[in-house]
Amino acid sequence: MKILGCTLVCILLLSAPGWAVLGEYENSIALDQQHMRAQLHQTSAQGYSVNELTTPEGKRVREFVSAKGMVFGVAWRGPTLPDLRQLLGTYFSQVQQAAQPRRRRGGPLVIKTKDFILVSGGHMRAFHGFAYVPSLLPAGVSAEVVR
């Protein structure tokens, strides 16, 4: 019975999507690309790089990575929201808490703390947003690049 349980856990862990998660090291962009069935386009700038994933449906997710390999920001645009739980990692709980009392109101969701910034808005077939961790911004890089 123990072997069956361990086998099931291993299968689930290996089949889980591997996103480059906000606030963690970049190590899974290729898995993100495969999971989303997306085209990957990488660009470099001074002090950081951008991994842009574009799906056939028109969803675009950009992951901003410091020279040290740390994901300091993510941005999205498309007809549906990406899996924010996967993209935001541990920061997703802050989004859930902020969104709870807002269920009936329109307008963008804005979260601004000293540790986490998120702006998300849009409507059916036109969602957009971005999130970043101010303390992880590379030296000399403005938060404005995460859009």
Side-chain angles (χ1 to χ4, degrees), residues 2 12 55 64 96 146:
K2 273 187 166 181
L12 289 173
T55 68
F64 298 82
Q96 286 180 308
V146 183

Side-chain angles (χ1 to χ4, degrees), residues 39-99:
Q39 293 289 328
L40 174 63
H41 180 71
Q42 297 175 312
T43 57
S44 294
Q46 190 163 349
Y48 69 97
S49 63
V50 180
N51 297 293
E52 183 172 312
L53 298 162
T54 306
T55 68
E57 300 83 30
K59 188 183 307 181
R60 189 174 89 187
V61 174
R62 291 176 293 152
E63 301 169 336
F64 298 82
V65 182
S66 71
K68 295 179 181 178
M70 185 71 69
V71 178
F72 65 87
V74 294
W76 56 91
R77 179 171 298 279
T80 59
L81 282 170
D83 186 347
L84 293 179
R85 181 181 304 275
Q86 289 293 328
L87 285 178
L88 301 177
T90 59
Y91 296 97
F92 185 73
S93 62
Q94 292 182 44
V95 176
Q96 286 180 308
Q97 290 172 357

